[in-house]
C-alpha cells in the first residue's frame, strides 16, 4: 500500500512537471513565433456584419471589367477612390507620380487612364450638375426595357460597368452659405431617377441568370457625405464644414426610399472612423487604406454576383443573390417524408404490422438527408452569414482552455464487467477466447484522445490559428496522433479477428468516404476538397493490404516487422516518385470523374508517412503479449504488472523527458513551417507514444475516461468533414457568424 501511494505521488509529480514545462514552452512560443501573413494594412479591417468581402486584385478587376468602363464623379474624396483603382491596376505607381498628375492637370480637372481593355474615368463635379456627368448617366441608363427587372445596361461602344458618384455635401457645406442644404438636395435629387431600381433586385436577377462578368448587371452607387475628422480640419474649412451641416445632409440621404437608399453605401463613413490610420493629416481625406476599402466595397457590389455564379469556391458572400439548389429543396421534402414515415412505422409496429423499411433504416435516411440539407442551409444560403477569419490569440487560448476544462468535468468511471475489474464494455466485443487485454489502450480511451484532439482542431480552424507557427506544430501533431490511433485500432482488430472479408472492408471504406462522396452533389464541391477522407482511406488500404498478404505470418513478430518495413519503403517511394500519383489521379478522373489533386495528396501523405506503421507495430506487440496471456508489456493495462516500482518510474520519467525535449527542440529551434514539416515525419511518434504511456500510467487513470471527448471521438471523422459547411463557411475559408452574439 505504501508503494502504491508512493507511485501515485511520483506519477502526479511527473504529470505536473510535464504540463508545466509544456505550458511554459508554449507561452514563450507566443512571443518567439511570428504570426504568418499579418500584413492587414489597418489595425482591424472592418467588414459588413454577416458577409465576407473580397479584396480585388489587378487580375480580378480586369476580369470583372473586361472591355468596360468605370466612371467616378464628385470631389477630391471620390478622386481618392480613382487613384486607389490606379494603384490597384498599376501596382508600381508611386505616390510622386500621382502628385505630378495633379500638378500638371490641376486639382479640379477630369482624369482618365486605360489598362489593357479597361477604362477608368474621373469627372470633377463636386456639385453633381455638370453636362459631362449628365450625359454619362443618360448613356448608362440607356435601356429602359430592363428597368422593371432591376438592372441597367447600355449598348455604347464603351459600356459602363460601374459608376461611383460622390454626394455634393462637402462643397455645399463650404461654399453654399446658408443655402447649403437646398443646394445639396438639388444635386442629389437630380440623380434620384437613376436610382429607382433596387440594388438587391439587380443582384438577385444576375445570380439567377448571368454566367459572365460582361453580362452582369451594371451598378451605380452614391457615396454619402464624408464625415471628416473635425479636430484636424484646417481653420478655413472648420468654419463651414461643421458636424451639424454634415449630419443634416447625411440624414437627408438616410430618408430616401428603400430602393434609392440601396445604392448609398453608408458604410463608407463607418470604415473611416478608425481612430488609427483613418484620415490623412488634413482631417478631410481618408487614408490610402480606407480609400482602397471603399473601392473594394464598390467592386464587391458589381462583381461578386457574376463571380459566384461562375465559381462556387468564390470567397465573397457580400452582394450576392440567393443561389438555387433543387437538391436542397428535394432534401427538405424528403426529410419531411422520412419523419412522417418514421412515426407511421412506429404506430404500425405498435399495431403489430410490418413496415416496408425498418425503423433503423428510415432513421438513418432521415439523419443523412437532414445533414445534407443543413450543410446547404449553413454554407450555401445567404441566411447564415460568413465572415473572414482573423486570428486573435487570447480568444483562441481562452476557448481552448474552456474546452479542456469542460472535458475534464465529464470524467466518468469505466463500467464494471461481471466478476472482474473496472473495464470498458467495448473491450470485450471482438476478443477471442482466452484473450487477455487490452494491455495498452482501450477503445474508449482511444476515442477520448481522438475527441480531445478533434475539439482543439475544430477550434484551430474556426479561429484561423494556422497563422501562428507554434499552434500549427501542435495541431500537426494531433493529426499525426489520429493516424497513429487509426493504424493501431485497425491493426488490433484485424489481428484479433483475422477478419479480412470484403464485407468488413466495404463497411470501413463506406464510412470513411460516404460524406466526402455525397457532399459534392449537394454543395457543388469536389471529392478532393475533403482531403482527410482520401488520406485516411489511402492508409487503411495500405494497412489492409500489408496485413492481408501472407496473413499467416502476422502472429510472428519478426515476419510482421519485416512486412512493415518493406511496406513503409514501398509507400515512401510511391508517394515521392513523380508521375505515380498523377497517373492515379488521371485514372480516378477517367473512371469515376473524380477530381484528385496529386500534388496536394503527396504533401499530405508524406507528412505522416511513418506514424501509421508505428501504430501497426505497437498494436502487434500488444496483441502478441495479450494472446500469450503474458503480463502487459508496459504498466498500462488493467492486469497487474510485474514491473517494479523503479521500472515504472523509469518508464514514466523517460516519457515525460521525451515530451519535454520534443517541445523544446521543435518550438525553440525550428522557426519556419517548412523546416518543421521536413522533420515532422521522423519525430512525431515520440510525443504520441509518450503521451499514451503517461495517460494510462496509473490505475486511477485507467479506470476512468472523459465522456465528452470520448463521444466526440466516435464521430471525429464525420465532424472533420462536416466542419467545412456547418462550422466554417465558403468551403472552410470563412467562419459562420454567431448572430446577435457576433462581435460582442
Amino acid at each position: 500500500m505504501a508503494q502504491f501511494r508512493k507511485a501515485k505521488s511520483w506519477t502526479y509529480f511527473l504529470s505536473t512537471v510535464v504540463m508545466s514545462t509544456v505550458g511554459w514552452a508554449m507561452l514563450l512560443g507566443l512571443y518567439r513565433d511570428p504570426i504568418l501573413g499579418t500584413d492587414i494594412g489597418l489595425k482591424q479591417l472592418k467588414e459588413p456584419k454577416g458577409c465576407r468581402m473580397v479584396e480585388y486584385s489587378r487580375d480580378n478587376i480586369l476580369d470583372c471589367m473586361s472591355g468596360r468602363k468605370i466612371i467616378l464623379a464628385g470631389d477630391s474624396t471620390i478622386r481618392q477612390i480613382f487613384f486607389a483603382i490606379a494603384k490597384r491596376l498599376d501596382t508600381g505607381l508611386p505616390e510622386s507620380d500621382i502628385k505630378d498628375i495633379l500638378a500638371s492637370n490641376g486639382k479640379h480637372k477630369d482624369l482618365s487612364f486605360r489598362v489593357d481593355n479597361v477604362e477608368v474615368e474621373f469627372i470633377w463635379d463636386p456639385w453633381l450638375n455638370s453636362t459631362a456627368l449628365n450625359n454619362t448617366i443618360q448613356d448608362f441608363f440607356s435601356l429602359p426595357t430592363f428597368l422593371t427587372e432591376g438592372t441597367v445596361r447600355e449598348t455604347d461602344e464603351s459600356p459602363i460597368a460601374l459608376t461611383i458618384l460622390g454626394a455634393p455635401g462637402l462643397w455645399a457645406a463650404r461654399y453654399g452659405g446658408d443655402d447649403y442644404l437646398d443646394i445639396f438636395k438639388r444635386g442629389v435629387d437630380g440623380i434620384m431617377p437613376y436610382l429607382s431600381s433596387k440594388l438587391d433586385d439587380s443582384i438577385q436577377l444576375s445570380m439567377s441568370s448571368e454566367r459572365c462578368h460582361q453580362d452582369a448587371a451594371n451598378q451605380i452607387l452614391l457615396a454619402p457625405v464624408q464625415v471628416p475628422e473635425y479636430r484636424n480640419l484646417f481653420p478655413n474649412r472648420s468654419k463651414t464644414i461643421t458636424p451639424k451641416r454634415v449630419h443634416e445632409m447625411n440624414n437627408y440621404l438616410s430618408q430616401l426610399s428603400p430602393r434609392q437608399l440601396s445604392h448609398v453605401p453608408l458604410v463608407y463613413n463607418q470604415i473611416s472612423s478608425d481612430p488609427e490610420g483613418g484620415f490623412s493629416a488634413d482631417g478631410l481625406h481618408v487614408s490610402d487604406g480606407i480609400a482602397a476599402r471603399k473601392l473594394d466595397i464598390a467592386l464587391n457590389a458589381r462583381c461578386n454576383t457574376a463571380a459566384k455564379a461562375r465559381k462556387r469556391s468564390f470567397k465573397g458572400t457580400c452582394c450576392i443573390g440567393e443561389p438555387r439548389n433543387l437538391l436542397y429543396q428535394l432534401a427538405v421534402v424528403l426529410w419531411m417524408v422520412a419523419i412522417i414515415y418514421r412515426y407511421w412505422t412506429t404506430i404500425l409496429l405498435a399495431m403489430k404490422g410490418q413496415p416496408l423499411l425498418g425503423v433503423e433504416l428510415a432513421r438513418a435516411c432521415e439523419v443523412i438527408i437532414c445533414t445534407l440539407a443543413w450543410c446547404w442551409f449553413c454554407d450555401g444560403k445567404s441566411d447564415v452569414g460568413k465572415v473572414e477569419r482573423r486570428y486573435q490569440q487570447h480568444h483562441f487560448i481562452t476557448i481552448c482552455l474552456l474546452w479542456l476544462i469542460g472535458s475534464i468535468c465529464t470524467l466518468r468511471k469505466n463500467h464494471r464487467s461481471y466478476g472482474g475489474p473496472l473495464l470498458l464494455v467495448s473491450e470485450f466485443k471482438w476478443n477471442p477466447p482466452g484473450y487477455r487485454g487490452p494491455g495498452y489502450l482501450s477503445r474508449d480511451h482511444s476515442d477520448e484522445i481522438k475527441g480531445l484532439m478533434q475539439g482543439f482542431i475544430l477550434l484551430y480552424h474556426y479561429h484561423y490559428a494556422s497563422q501562428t507557427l507554434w499552434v500549427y506544430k501542435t495541431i500537426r501533431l494531433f493529426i499525426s496522433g489520429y493516424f497513429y490511433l487509426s493504424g493501431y485500432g485497425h491493426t488490433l482488430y484485424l489481428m484479433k479477428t483475422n477478419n479480412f472479408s470484403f464485407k468488413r472492408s466495404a463497411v470501413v471504406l463506406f464510412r470513411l468516404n460516404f460524406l466526402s462522396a455525397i457532399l459534392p452533389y449537394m454543395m457543388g464541391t469536389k471529392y478532393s476538397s475533403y482531403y482527410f477522407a482520401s488520406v485516411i482511406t489511402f492508409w487503411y488500404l495500405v494497412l489492409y493490404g500489408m496485413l492481408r498478404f501472407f496473413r499467416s505470418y502476422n502472429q510472428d513478430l519478426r515476419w510482421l516487422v519485416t512486412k512493415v518495413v518493406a511496406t513503409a519503403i514501398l509507400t515512401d517511394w510511391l508517394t515521392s516518385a513523380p508521375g505515380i500519383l498523377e497517373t492515379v489521379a488521371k485514372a480516378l478522373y477517367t473512371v469515376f470523374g473524380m477530381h484528385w489533386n496529386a500534388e496536394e495528396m503527396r504533401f499530405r501523405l508524406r507528412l505522416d508517412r511513418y506514424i501509421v506503421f508505428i501504430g501497426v507495430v505497437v498494436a502487434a506487440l500488444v496483441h502478441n503479449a495479450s494472446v500469450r496471456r503474458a503480463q502487459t508489456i508496459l504498466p498500462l493495462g488493467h492486469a497487474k504488472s510485474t514491473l517494479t516500482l523503479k521500472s515504472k518510474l523509469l518508464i514514466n520519467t523517460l516519457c515525460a523527458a521525451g515530451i519535454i525535449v520534443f517541445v523544446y527542440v521543435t518550438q525553440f529551434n525550428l522557426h519556419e513551417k517548412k523546416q518543421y514539416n521536413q522533420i515532422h515525419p521522423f519525430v512525431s511518434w515520440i510525443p504520441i507514444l509518450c503521451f499514451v504511456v503517461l495517460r494510462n500510467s496509473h490505475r486511477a487513470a485507467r479506470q476512468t475516461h472523459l465522456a465528452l471527448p470520448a463521444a466526440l471521438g466516435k464521430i471525429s471523422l464525420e465532424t472533420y468533414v462536416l466542419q467545412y459547411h456547418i462550422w466554417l463557411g465558403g468551403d472552410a475559408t470563412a467562419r459562420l457568424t454567431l448572430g446577435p452574439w457576433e462581435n460582442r
Side-chain angles (χ1 to χ4, degrees), residues 122-173:
F122 169 72
I123 301 174
W124 174 260
D125 186 4
W127 304 103
L128 291 188
N129 62 358
S130 67
T131 303
L133 176 60
N134 184 60
N135 294 336
T136 299
I137 295 179
Q138 287 181 350
D139 289 341
F140 182 79
F141 202 66
S142 63
L143 286 184
T145 55
F146 283 90
L147 297 184
T148 57
E149 298 177 356
T151 184
V152 182
R153 303 172 191 268
E154 52 80 33
T155 56
D156 194 86
E157 292 182 358
S158 301
I160 302 173
L162 176 64
T163 299
I164 305 175
L165 307 177
L170 295 178
W171 274 65

Side-chain angles (χ1 to χ4, degrees), residues 18-236:
V18 171
M19 297 305 296
S20 301
T21 305
V22 172
W24 170 76
M26 295 301 185
L27 185 62
L28 289 181
L30 304 183
Y31 302 98
R32 295 177 61 92
D33 286 339
I35 297 178
L36 307 177
T38 56
D39 186 15
I40 298 177
L42 301 175
K43 182 179 180 181
Q44 177 68 43
L45 287 178
K46 296 186 178 181
E47 293 182 321
K49 286 188 177 181
C51 74
R52 186 185 189 194
M53 284 188 56
V54 175
E55 181 177 332
Y56 273 79
S57 65
R58 179 183 187 274
D59 293 338
N60 296 143
I61 296 175
L62 293 178
D63 185 33
C64 175
M65 303 294 177
S66 179
R68 313 196 75 168
K69 183 188 295 185
I70 303 175
I71 297 293
L72 301 97
D75 56 16
S76 56
T77 61
I78 300 299
R79 187 173 58 203
Q80 283 191 286
I81 303 178
F82 171 82
F83 282 121
I85 302 176
K87 291 178 181 179
R88 195 73 62 86
L89 293 178
D90 186 0
T91 55
L93 182 65
E95 191 71 26
S96 58
D97 287 0
I98 296 177
K99 294 180 180 179
D100 292 341
I101 294 173
L102 293 177
S104 60
N105 294 344
K107 292 184 177 181
H108 301 165
K109 297 292 183 180
D110 297 345
L111 302 171
S112 65
F113 70 92
R114 177 183 289 271
V115 175
D116 292 346
N117 59 348
V118 175
E119 184 178 354
V120 184
E121 181 180 351
F122 169 72
I123 301 174
W124 174 260
D125 186 4
W127 304 103
L128 291 188
N129 62 358
S130 67
T131 303
L133 176 60
N134 184 60
N135 294 336
T136 299
I137 295 179
Q138 287 181 350
D139 289 341
F140 182 79
F141 202 66
S142 63
L143 286 184
T145 55
F146 283 90
L147 297 184
T148 57
E149 298 177 356
T151 184
V152 182
R153 303 172 191 268
E154 52 80 33
T155 56
D156 194 86
E157 292 182 358
S158 301
I160 302 173
L162 176 64
T163 299
I164 305 175
L165 307 177
L170 295 178
W171 274 65
R174 186 175 182 187
Y175 300 110
D178 295 335
D179 297 328
Y180 70 93
L181 189 58
D182 292 333
I183 296 174
F184 172 78
K185 289 181 179 180
R186 285 197 298 270
V188 172
D189 292 344
I191 63 170
M192 282 301 104
Y194 307 111
L195 306 182
S196 59
S197 62
K198 192 175 181 181
L199 190 64
D200 295 345
D201 295 338
S202 173
I203 290 172
Q204 183 60 44
L205 179 68
S206 295
M207 191 67 189
S208 61
S209 60
E210 310 299 351
R211 288 296 178 267
C212 62
H213 288 297
Q214 288 74 15
D215 295 330
N218 301 329
Q219 305 295 358
I220 181 169
L221 302 176
L222 175 64
V225 182
Q226 175 66 57
V227 178
E229 197 171 37
Y230 295 104
R231 66 177 183 274
N232 292 329
L233 286 177
F234 297 152
N236 59 338

